């Protein structure tokens, strides 16, 4: 059985419908999708995810938005970055501080969290590590998927500057994924990568 580690976006949770849809789409291909709740604190999130990779040994990592930014730094494993938000600190500064509600149910029961100056400072620090491993054989392990009508995140130039255009795709969609894009774009690419990594 192949395994995917799915990393959700900001204010979301492992219970997101995106992970559930991927499970349904890839179930018949004998693929398991693991989707944990990512810690709200960026300083805690990246070590948590690195430990998850060590524990789960996924064959593929898929990260969306903020999750794509984290996934980029999980070097050594094939990764799909969907609308990766490489500039979370800037985005949150623009949107302002304050309480936010989670978009999906968290395992610990939390329903809200706070965006404060410390969180933004932590994102700034974490973002310094973006692309630090984007060289040599690592470049072939990363795919970028970008919605052409994404109103939120615009990081296509960041991606192509470091990873080139060999694994760069623009799809007809926005920032958030829907079942159609998952079925026609994300799941087929995941299946293709898993097949390639298996030598098939």
């Amino acid at each position: 059985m192949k395994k995917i580690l799915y990393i959700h976006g900001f204010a979301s949770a492992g219970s997101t419908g995106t992970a559930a849809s991927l499970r349904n789409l890839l179930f018949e291909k004998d693929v398991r999708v693991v989707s944990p709740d990512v810690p709200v604190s960026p300083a805690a999130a990246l070590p948590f995810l690195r430990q998850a990779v060590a524990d789960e040994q996924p064959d593929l990592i898929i990260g969306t938005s903020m999750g794509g930014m984290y996934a980029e730094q999980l070097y050594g494993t094939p990764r799909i970055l969907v609308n990766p938000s490489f500039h979370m600190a800037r985005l949150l500064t623009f949107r302002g501080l304050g309480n936010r509600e989670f978009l999906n149910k968290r395992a610990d029961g939390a329903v809200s969290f706070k965006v404060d100056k410390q969180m933004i400072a932590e994102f700034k620090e974490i973002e310094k590590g973006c692309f630090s491993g984007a060289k040599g054989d690592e470049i072939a392990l990363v795919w970028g998927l970008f919605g052409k009508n994404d109103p939120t995140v615009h990081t296509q130039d960041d991606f192509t500057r470091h990873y080139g255009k060999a694994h760069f795709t623009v799809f007809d969609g926005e920032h958030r994924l829907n079942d159609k894009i998952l079925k026609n774009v994300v799941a087929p690419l995941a299946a293709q990568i898993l097949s390639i990594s298996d030598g098939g």
Side-chain angles (χ1 to χ4, degrees):
M1 175 179 282
K2 296 288 187 178
K3 186 185 293 184
I4 291 174
L5 173 64
Y6 175 76
I7 307 175
H8 62 74
F10 187 71
S12 190
S15 64
T16 174
T18 302
S21 294
L22 283 171
R23 285 190 189 97
N24 292 333
L25 290 165
L26 296 168
F27 177 76
E28 291 186 357
K29 296 184 182 295
D30 202 27
V31 176
R32 180 181 173 217
V33 178
V34 178
S35 179
D37 288 354
V38 177
V40 171
S41 162
L46 203 52
F48 170 85
L49 290 168
R50 285 178 174 145
Q51 188 61 51
V53 172
D55 292 342
E56 299 289 349
Q57 294 290 303
D59 301 286
L60 173 65
I61 298 170
I62 300 176
T64 54
S65 192
M66 175 194 74
M69 183 271 291
Y70 286 137
E72 191 276 329
Q73 298 189 52
L74 299 176
Y75 302 113
T77 301
R79 308 183 296 291
I80 299 175
L81 317 181
V82 187
N83 293 324
S85 185
F86 296 125
H87 307 288
M88 286 296 301
R90 188 169 66 196
L91 188 64
L92 293 179
T93 300
F94 176 75
R95 290 187 172 182
L97 308 179
N99 290 323
R100 307 283 179 90
E101 291 188 358
F102 285 111
L103 303 173
N104 297 285
K105 187 176 181 180
R106 301 278 289 193
D108 63 2
V111 295
S112 65
F113 64 101
K114 188 175 184 179
V115 175
D116 55 20
K117 290 182 179 179
Q118 179 179 338
M119 176 182 284
I120 291 174
E122 288 181 10
F123 269 121
K124 283 182 179 178
E125 190 62 30
I126 291 296
E127 288 164 14
K128 290 178 182 177
C130 287
F131 312 115
S132 61
K135 48 196 153 190
D137 294 341
E138 191 67 33
I139 290 175
L141 294 179
V142 179
W143 285 256
L145 300 178
F146 296 84
K148 70 178 182 180
N149 299 313
D150 187 343
T152 306
V153 172
H154 309 282
T155 60
Q156 295 184 22
D157 289 344
D158 294 284
F159 181 88
T160 55
R161 188 180 309 120
H162 296 279
Y163 287 102
K165 292 190 175 182
H167 289 169
F168 169 80
T169 300
V170 176
F171 61 86
D172 186 10
E174 299 188 4
H175 188 67
R176 291 192 179 175
L177 300 178
N178 56 37
D179 286 344
K180 181 180 179 181
I181 294 167
L182 287 168
K183 180 180 179 180
N184 296 327
V185 181
V186 182
L189 177 58
Q192 174 192 338
I193 293 168
L194 291 172
S195 177
I196 290 172
S197 67
D198 193 33

